[in-house]
Amino acid sequence: LKVICKILHDMVKVEGGEFMQGAAPDRNGKYYNLVCKDLETPQIKQNVETFFICKYEVSTEQWNTIMGEKFNIRDALKPMSNVTYYECKEFVKKLKLHAIL
C-alpha cells in the first residue's frame, strides 16, 4: 500500500490541449540543420486529453511490488528499465486496480 500511495502522491495533472507537432521553419523558410524534413514536417495540429504523469521514474522496487515479482534489493531504487509497452499497460492496469481497492 505504501508503494501505491507514493506513486499516486507523485502524480501531476497535465492539462490537455492543442499544440503544433513538428518542426517550424524560421522567418526565411529554412529549417534548423538537425531537422529531418521527411519525419518532422509539415507541422500538424494535435489534441491531447488531460492526463496524469508521475514526477519521477518508477523504481525497480515499485514496479516489482505492483507486478508481484521478486527483485534484487540492491536494485530497489534504480529506475525500472527494459520493459515493453504491453508490460507498461499491465503495470498501469494493476496500479489502477490496487488504487481502487
Side-chain angles (χ1 to χ4, degrees):
L1 191 56
K2 281 174 66 175
V3 170
I4 295 163
C5 289
K6 174 74 173 130
I7 293 171
L8 296 177
H9 178 266
D10 291 337
M11 294 287 205
V12 292
K13 185 177 185 178
V14 178
E15 291 293 338
E18 196 173 87
F19 71 98
M20 294 302 291
Q21 179 179 346
D26 63 20
R27 283 183 255 157
N28 300 323
K30 302 217 185 263
Y31 291 95
Y32 179 66
N33 64 352
L34 294 178
V35 170
C36 177
K37 291 180 200 146
D38 293 336
L39 297 175
E40 301 178 66
T41 63
Q43 283 191 312
I44 55 174
K45 191 181 292 187
Q46 295 285 1
N47 287 300
V48 178
E49 293 182 19
T50 298
F51 64 94
F52 287 85
I53 189 167
C54 195
K55 293 186 268 186
Y56 311 106
E57 297 170 319
V58 174
S59 71
T60 299
E61 177 182 26
Q62 291 170 325
W63 177 277
N64 287 294
T65 300
I66 297 298
M67 299 300 278
E69 298 172 2
K70 294 181 181 182
F71 64 96
N72 187 326
I73 195 69
R74 291 181 310 199
D75 298 331
L77 298 178
K78 292 180 182 176
M80 190 62 192
S81 61
N82 297 316
V83 294
T84 68
Y85 169 78
Y86 298 104
E87 290 169 322
C88 289
K89 284 184 73 166
E90 185 64 24
F91 175 82
V92 170
K93 182 178 168 183
K94 288 184 177 191
L95 180 61
K96 280 183 181 180
L97 178 64
H98 289 300
I100 292 170
L101 301 176

